[in-house]
Amino acid sequence: VVLPKAQGEERYYFRGIWEGIRKEADNLQGNPLNFQYVESEYSLDEISQELMDLYDREIESIQGLITVSDDKDASAWARRFGRLGIPTVLISSYKKEESYVNSVKVDHEKAGKLAGEFLYYALQGKKGKILFLTGSNRIFSNTRYMGAFQKYMEEYCPEKELICVPGFGKEEIEKRVRIVLEKEKPLAAFACNARNTIHLCKLVEEYPDLSG
Protein backbone atom coordinates (compact mmCIF):
# COMPACT_ATOMS: atom_id res chain seq x y z
CA VAL A 1 0.00 0.00 0.00
CA VAL A 2 1.65 3.22 -1.18
CA LEU A 3 -0.08 6.45 -0.19
CA PRO A 4 0.93 9.84 1.20
CA LYS A 5 1.39 9.84 4.95
CA ALA A 6 -1.61 11.32 6.78
CA GLN A 7 0.25 14.35 8.06
CA GLY A 8 0.08 18.07 7.47
CA GLU A 9 -2.40 18.92 4.75
CA GLU A 10 -2.48 15.33 3.53
CA ARG A 11 -4.30 14.28 6.72
CA TYR A 12 -7.61 15.76 5.57
CA TYR A 13 -7.97 13.24 2.77
CA PHE A 14 -5.72 10.29 3.54
CA ARG A 15 -6.32 9.72 7.26
CA GLY A 16 -9.66 8.00 6.67
CA ILE A 17 -8.31 6.03 3.71
CA TRP A 18 -5.40 4.67 5.77
CA GLU A 19 -7.78 3.74 8.59
CA GLY A 20 -10.11 1.92 6.20
CA ILE A 21 -7.31 -0.06 4.53
CA ARG A 22 -5.80 -1.14 7.85
CA LYS A 23 -9.18 -2.13 9.23
CA GLU A 24 -9.95 -4.32 6.23
CA ALA A 25 -6.45 -5.81 6.33
CA ASP A 26 -7.13 -6.83 9.94
CA ASN A 27 -10.39 -8.45 8.84
CA LEU A 28 -8.45 -10.51 6.31
CA GLN A 29 -6.09 -12.00 8.86
CA GLY A 30 -5.85 -15.75 8.37
CA ASN A 31 -5.65 -15.35 4.60
CA PRO A 32 -2.27 -15.77 2.89
CA LEU A 33 -1.83 -12.03 2.51
CA ASN A 34 0.94 -9.84 3.86
CA PHE A 35 0.19 -6.12 3.78
CA GLN A 36 3.15 -3.75 3.70
CA TYR A 37 2.46 -0.07 4.26
CA VAL A 38 4.51 2.70 2.67
CA GLU A 39 3.40 5.94 4.31
CA SER A 40 5.13 8.22 1.88
CA GLU A 41 6.58 11.61 2.71
CA TYR A 42 5.78 12.61 -0.87
CA SER A 43 2.56 14.57 -1.33
CA LEU A 44 -0.38 13.67 -3.57
CA ASP A 45 1.09 15.39 -6.60
CA GLU A 46 4.56 13.87 -6.00
CA ILE A 47 3.60 10.26 -5.25
CA SER A 48 5.06 9.14 -8.59
CA GLN A 49 8.50 9.49 -6.97
CA GLU A 50 7.58 6.88 -4.35
CA LEU A 51 6.19 4.54 -7.01
CA MET A 52 9.40 4.90 -9.03
CA ASP A 53 11.51 4.06 -5.97
CA LEU A 54 9.27 1.08 -5.15
CA TYR A 55 9.54 -0.22 -8.71
CA ASP A 56 13.33 -0.15 -8.54
CA ARG A 57 13.54 -1.49 -5.00
CA GLU A 58 10.91 -4.23 -4.59
CA ILE A 59 9.34 -5.08 -7.93
CA GLU A 60 10.26 -8.78 -7.56
CA SER A 61 8.43 -9.17 -4.22
CA ILE A 62 5.13 -7.39 -4.98
CA GLN A 63 2.01 -9.36 -5.88
CA GLY A 64 -0.51 -6.52 -5.48
CA LEU A 65 -0.57 -2.74 -5.17
CA ILE A 66 -2.92 -0.14 -3.68
CA THR A 67 -1.95 3.45 -4.44
CA VAL A 68 -3.20 6.77 -5.80
CA SER A 69 -2.79 8.15 -9.30
CA ASP A 70 -4.09 11.70 -9.60
CA ASP A 71 -1.58 13.07 -12.09
CA LYS A 72 0.05 12.02 -15.34
CA ASP A 73 3.34 10.75 -13.88
CA ALA A 74 1.74 8.60 -11.15
CA SER A 75 -0.63 7.16 -13.74
CA ALA A 76 2.29 6.09 -15.90
CA TRP A 77 3.95 4.28 -13.00
CA ALA A 78 0.70 2.56 -11.96
CA ARG A 79 0.35 1.21 -15.50
CA ARG A 80 3.89 -0.18 -15.35
CA PHE A 81 2.99 -2.27 -12.31
CA GLY A 82 -0.23 -3.40 -13.99
CA ARG A 83 1.52 -4.46 -17.21
CA LEU A 84 3.69 -6.82 -15.17
CA GLY A 85 0.56 -8.67 -14.07
CA ILE A 86 0.48 -7.06 -10.61
CA PRO A 87 -3.16 -6.39 -9.62
CA THR A 88 -3.27 -2.63 -9.05
CA VAL A 89 -6.05 -0.68 -7.34
CA LEU A 90 -6.06 3.12 -7.40
CA ILE A 91 -7.80 5.29 -4.82
CA SER A 92 -8.18 7.90 -7.54
CA SER A 93 -6.96 7.84 -11.11
CA TYR A 94 -5.73 10.31 -13.67
CA LYS A 95 -7.88 8.91 -16.45
CA LYS A 96 -9.77 5.80 -17.49
CA GLU A 97 -7.36 2.98 -16.81
CA GLU A 98 -6.59 -0.16 -18.78
CA SER A 99 -8.29 -3.44 -17.88
CA TYR A 100 -5.41 -4.55 -15.65
CA VAL A 101 -5.70 -1.50 -13.38
CA ASN A 102 -8.78 -0.81 -11.26
CA SER A 103 -9.86 2.49 -9.73
CA VAL A 104 -12.09 3.27 -6.75
CA LYS A 105 -13.26 6.85 -7.14
CA VAL A 106 -16.18 9.20 -7.41
CA ASP A 107 -17.40 10.64 -10.69
CA HIS A 108 -15.75 14.05 -10.46
CA GLU A 109 -17.82 15.54 -13.26
CA LYS A 110 -21.05 14.46 -11.60
CA ALA A 111 -19.83 15.82 -8.25
CA GLY A 112 -19.05 19.20 -9.82
CA LYS A 113 -22.48 19.39 -11.44
CA LEU A 114 -24.17 18.48 -8.13
CA ALA A 115 -22.25 21.25 -6.35
CA GLY A 116 -23.37 23.73 -8.99
CA GLU A 117 -26.95 22.53 -8.78
CA PHE A 118 -26.94 22.96 -5.00
CA LEU A 119 -25.78 26.56 -5.28
CA TYR A 120 -28.25 27.23 -8.09
CA TYR A 121 -31.18 26.42 -5.79
CA ALA A 122 -29.62 27.77 -2.59
CA LEU A 123 -28.87 31.19 -4.10
CA GLN A 124 -32.02 31.81 -6.11
CA GLY A 125 -33.12 35.40 -5.73
CA LYS A 126 -29.84 36.48 -4.15
CA LYS A 127 -27.31 38.81 -5.74
CA GLY A 128 -23.58 38.52 -5.23
CA LYS A 129 -20.33 36.88 -6.26
CA ILE A 130 -19.07 33.35 -5.63
CA LEU A 131 -15.57 32.59 -4.38
CA PHE A 132 -14.29 29.70 -6.50
CA LEU A 133 -11.22 27.82 -5.22
CA THR A 134 -10.13 25.97 -8.35
CA GLY A 135 -7.43 23.80 -6.77
CA SER A 136 -4.39 22.60 -8.70
CA ASN A 137 -4.32 22.07 -12.45
CA ARG A 138 -1.67 19.40 -11.84
CA ILE A 139 -4.23 17.15 -10.14
CA PHE A 140 -6.71 15.37 -12.36
CA SER A 141 -9.57 15.17 -9.84
CA ASN A 142 -9.34 18.92 -9.20
CA THR A 143 -9.53 19.84 -12.88
CA ARG A 144 -12.49 17.53 -13.58
CA TYR A 145 -14.39 18.61 -10.47
CA MET A 146 -13.90 22.34 -10.88
CA GLY A 147 -14.42 22.20 -14.64
CA ALA A 148 -17.86 20.59 -14.28
CA PHE A 149 -18.84 23.08 -11.57
CA GLN A 150 -17.74 26.05 -13.64
CA LYS A 151 -19.58 24.79 -16.72
CA TYR A 152 -22.79 24.31 -14.74
CA MET A 153 -22.60 27.79 -13.17
CA GLU A 154 -21.90 29.47 -16.50
CA GLU A 155 -24.91 27.75 -18.03
CA TYR A 156 -27.45 28.12 -15.24
CA CYS A 157 -26.15 31.07 -13.18
CA PRO A 158 -24.42 33.36 -15.68
CA GLU A 159 -25.43 36.42 -13.67
CA LYS A 160 -23.30 35.34 -10.69
CA GLU A 161 -19.61 36.18 -11.13
CA LEU A 162 -17.08 33.52 -10.13
CA ILE A 163 -14.00 34.93 -8.37
CA CYS A 164 -11.41 32.29 -9.21
CA VAL A 165 -8.56 31.63 -6.79
CA PRO A 166 -6.16 28.88 -7.93
CA GLY A 167 -3.88 27.00 -5.56
CA PHE A 168 -3.49 23.84 -3.52
CA GLY A 169 -3.22 24.29 0.25
CA LYS A 170 -2.89 27.08 2.79
CA GLU A 171 0.32 28.65 1.52
CA GLU A 172 -1.03 29.02 -2.00
CA ILE A 173 -4.53 30.30 -1.24
CA GLU A 174 -4.58 32.11 2.12
CA LYS A 175 -3.44 35.57 1.02
CA ARG A 176 -5.69 35.68 -2.03
CA VAL A 177 -8.71 34.32 -0.17
CA ARG A 178 -8.32 36.97 2.54
CA ILE A 179 -8.35 39.69 -0.10
CA VAL A 180 -11.55 38.32 -1.62
CA LEU A 181 -13.27 37.94 1.75
CA GLU A 182 -12.36 41.48 2.77
CA LYS A 183 -13.01 43.31 -0.49
CA GLU A 184 -15.71 41.31 -2.25
CA LYS A 185 -17.65 39.72 0.65
CA PRO A 186 -18.78 36.80 -1.54
CA LEU A 187 -22.26 35.36 -1.35
CA ALA A 188 -20.99 31.76 -1.40
CA ALA A 189 -17.86 29.71 -1.93
CA PHE A 190 -16.89 26.46 -3.63
CA ALA A 191 -13.70 24.43 -3.16
CA CYS A 192 -12.84 21.26 -5.05
CA ASN A 193 -10.55 19.56 -2.52
CA ALA A 194 -10.41 18.86 1.21
CA ARG A 195 -7.32 20.87 2.10
CA ASN A 196 -8.69 24.07 0.54
CA THR A 197 -12.09 23.50 2.12
CA ILE A 198 -10.74 23.29 5.68
CA HIS A 199 -8.60 26.40 5.27
CA LEU A 200 -11.49 28.29 3.71
CA CYS A 201 -13.72 27.41 6.68
CA LYS A 202 -11.06 28.60 9.14
CA LEU A 203 -10.67 31.89 7.28
CA VAL A 204 -14.41 32.51 7.05
CA GLU A 205 -14.65 32.15 10.83
CA GLU A 206 -12.47 35.27 11.10
CA TYR A 207 -15.11 37.30 9.24
CA PRO A 208 -18.34 36.98 11.26
CA ASP A 209 -20.07 39.58 9.10
CA LEU A 210 -20.10 37.00 6.29
CA SER A 211 -22.26 34.52 8.22
CA GLY A 212 -25.65 33.83 6.75
Side-chain angles (χ1 to χ4, degrees):
V1 183
V2 182
L3 295 170
K5 189 174 183 178
Q7 64 182 358
E9 293 189 327
E10 301 292 2
R11 70 186 187 276
Y12 303 122
Y13 182 67
F14 287 103
R15 181 170 54 194
I17 293 174
W18 273 116
E19 290 175 355
I21 289 172
R22 284 194 166 93
K23 181 178 179 180
E24 190 58 29
D26 289 342
N27 292 336
L28 293 173
Q29 286 185 357
N31 290 281
L33 298 174
N34 176 27
F35 284 84
Q36 297 183 16
Y37 304 112
V38 179
E39 296 185 66
S40 177
E41 298 291 337
Y42 289 109
S43 62
L44 174 62
D45 55 346
E46 299 173 330
I47 198 67
S48 60
Q49 295 297 313
E50 193 72 71
L51 294 174
M52 178 177 65
D53 293 344
L54 183 72
Y55 191 94
D56 292 338
R57 187 177 67 245
E58 297 189 44
I59 191 62
E60 300 297 332
S61 63
I62 297 173
Q63 286 80 47
L65 175 66
I66 298 173
T67 188
V68 61
S69 163
D70 214 348
D71 62 65
K72 186 176 181 179
D73 291 340
S75 179
W77 279 105
R79 289 197 301 273
R80 290 189 183 188
F81 284 95
R83 288 195 189 104
L84 291 176
I86 298 171
T88 301
V89 177
L90 306 177
I91 300 303
S92 183
S93 62
Y94 177 70
K95 61 180 182 179
K96 185 176 180 180
E97 298 295 342
E98 288 84 350
S99 58
Y100 46 77
V101 177
N102 298 283
S103 181
V104 180
K105 63 179 181 179
V106 300
D107 185 326
H108 298 110
E109 290 189 358
K110 184 178 290 185
K113 291 177 182 178
L114 286 172
E117 184 179 15
F118 175 83
L119 282 184
Y120 171 78
Y121 286 105
L123 302 180
Q124 280 189 333
K126 298 180 180 180
K127 295 181 180 180
K129 300 178 181 180
I130 297 172
L131 171 58
F132 181 23
L133 303 184
T134 62
S136 170
N137 60 12
R138 304 185 303 272
I139 297 175
F140 179 68
S141 57
N142 280 198
T143 58
R144 293 287 294 273
Y145 195 6
M146 73 92 169
F149 173 81
Q150 186 171 18
K151 182 178 179 180
Y152 185 96
M153 296 303 291
E154 289 174 350
E155 181 175 355
Y156 293 97
C157 303
E159 75 284 358
K160 291 185 172 64
E161 179 184 346
L162 298 178
I163 307 172
C164 297
V165 175
F168 191 51
K170 182 178 181 180
E171 290 186 2
E172 295 185 12
I173 70 168
E174 183 174 20
K175 184 177 180 179
R176 284 174 284 189
V177 169
R178 284 188 183 279
I179 292 173
V180 174
L181 294 179
E182 291 171 1
K183 292 187 176 182
E184 303 289 349
K185 293 183 169 43
L187 181 64
F190 169 75
C192 67
N193 59 61
R195 68 180 64 195
N196 283 359
T197 299
I198 190 68
H199 292 310
L200 172 64
C201 291
K202 290 178 178 178
L203 287 170
V204 169
E205 288 177 348
E206 299 179 21
Y207 300 88
D209 58 317
L210 292 175
S211 63

